[in-house]
Amino acid sequence: MSQLKDDWPGYSLDLFTYPEHYHEDIESVYIPHGIIMNRVERLAHYIMDDFADNNNIMVLCVLKGGYKFCADLVEFIKVLGRNSNKYLETRVEFIRLKSYLNDQSTEQLQIIGSGDLSFLRGKAIVDTGKTMKALLKHVETFEPKMVKVAGLLVKRVPNMAESLTDYVGFEIPNHFVVGYALDYNEYFRDL
């Protein structure tokens, strides 16, 4: 896992291009896209190694914030499989969780969409969401064979969710971040 130090200021905005209408709203680029992609590829290697004895997995993608990470992770798994003798058939299902209001996490987790997750029964699952405890409790009621959690970002906070996350891209300070499909009230997903 890659750790960003608490005092990491990010990269200067002068090094990047981004939409002009966001110029007043963004302080720095915390993790450049190329570094994210390289790290996601590394996570795909770990998943391929861990699931070597399986021939398929079900990826439960948590929308909306997880869609870019999920899509890139699944693509790397497919590419790695095509270039080796251990192809892992990957099915993707989508679920939407709502747990944020503005930049504050709320206590209530609302599952939108696939309330019935009976398609998980007996499957191996890799999950790419951020609000894990409640979701994992819900997922376990459908008796999957195995559950692994992948998260691009894990914030360094008290009672950190790292213990819930099997594949971590980056451990970061407790800052509110946007981009790569993460939003603030639906803004900034396109960064």
Side-chain angles (χ1 to χ4, degrees):
M1 160 179 46
S2 296
Q3 279 191 341
L4 275 68
K5 303 289 184 206
D6 286 341
D7 59 354
W8 168 239
Y11 293 93
S12 169
L13 293 174
D14 296 339
L15 300 171
F16 303 92
T17 58
Y18 58 100
E20 191 172 318
H21 60 277
Y22 289 146
H23 281 209
E24 300 298 315
D25 300 317
I26 299 170
E27 295 174 15
S28 65
V29 173
Y30 215 53
I31 309 170
H33 185 257
I35 294 173
I36 290 172
M37 295 305 287
N38 192 278
R39 185 68 185 142
V40 173
E41 182 178 9
R42 171 52 62 192
L43 296 180
H45 277 279
Y46 294 149
I47 291 169
M48 293 292 289
D49 291 344
D50 290 352
F51 286 85
D53 295 338
N54 294 274
N55 58 1
N56 62 63
I57 60 171
M58 169 70 65
V59 177
L60 183 59
C61 177
V62 179
L63 298 173
K64 295 177 183 176
Y67 86 87
K68 287 283 294 168
F69 174 51
C70 179
D72 290 338
L73 184 63
V74 167
E75 188 58 32
F76 278 122
I77 290 170
K78 288 180 181 178
V79 169
L80 291 171
R82 282 195 297 264
N83 295 325
S84 72
N85 59 355
K86 51 182 182 178
Y87 189 78
L88 189 58
E89 183 185 332
T90 306
R91 244 184 79 199
V92 181
E93 292 287 342
F94 298 93
I95 190 168
R96 184 165 173 213
L97 305 180
K98 203 156 177 77
S99 63
Y100 269 76
L101 179 63
N102 296 326
D103 62 348
Q104 299 300 309
S105 185
T106 61
E107 291 299 310
Q108 282 190 316
L109 176 70
Q110 192 180 4
I111 299 176
I112 302 166
S114 242
D116 177 17
L117 300 177
S118 56
F119 57 81
L120 301 176
R121 192 165 281 114
K123 303 284 188 202
I125 301 168
V126 178
D127 184 36
T128 58
K130 61 183 177 186
T131 310
M132 285 300 114
K133 246 177 202 164
L135 177 59
L136 287 173
K137 191 173 180 182
H138 182 68
V139 165
E140 291 292 347
T141 65
F142 294 94
E143 302 171 0
K145 178 180 173 185
M146 173 178 22
V147 177
K148 297 282 188 180
V149 177
L152 180 65
L153 304 174
V154 173
K155 290 185 180 179
R156 217 170 14 259
V157 292
N159 306 317
M160 183 168 56
E162 183 185 357
S163 59
L164 298 173
T165 310
D166 302 285
Y167 310 104
V168 176
F170 301 92
E171 181 187 295
I172 65 171
N174 188 18
H175 297 311
F176 193 80
V177 295
V178 295
Y180 197 64
L182 300 175
D183 74 303
Y184 176 83
N185 288 343
E186 298 299 324
Y187 291 100
F188 307 106
R189 287 194 198 278
D190 55 335
L191 291 175

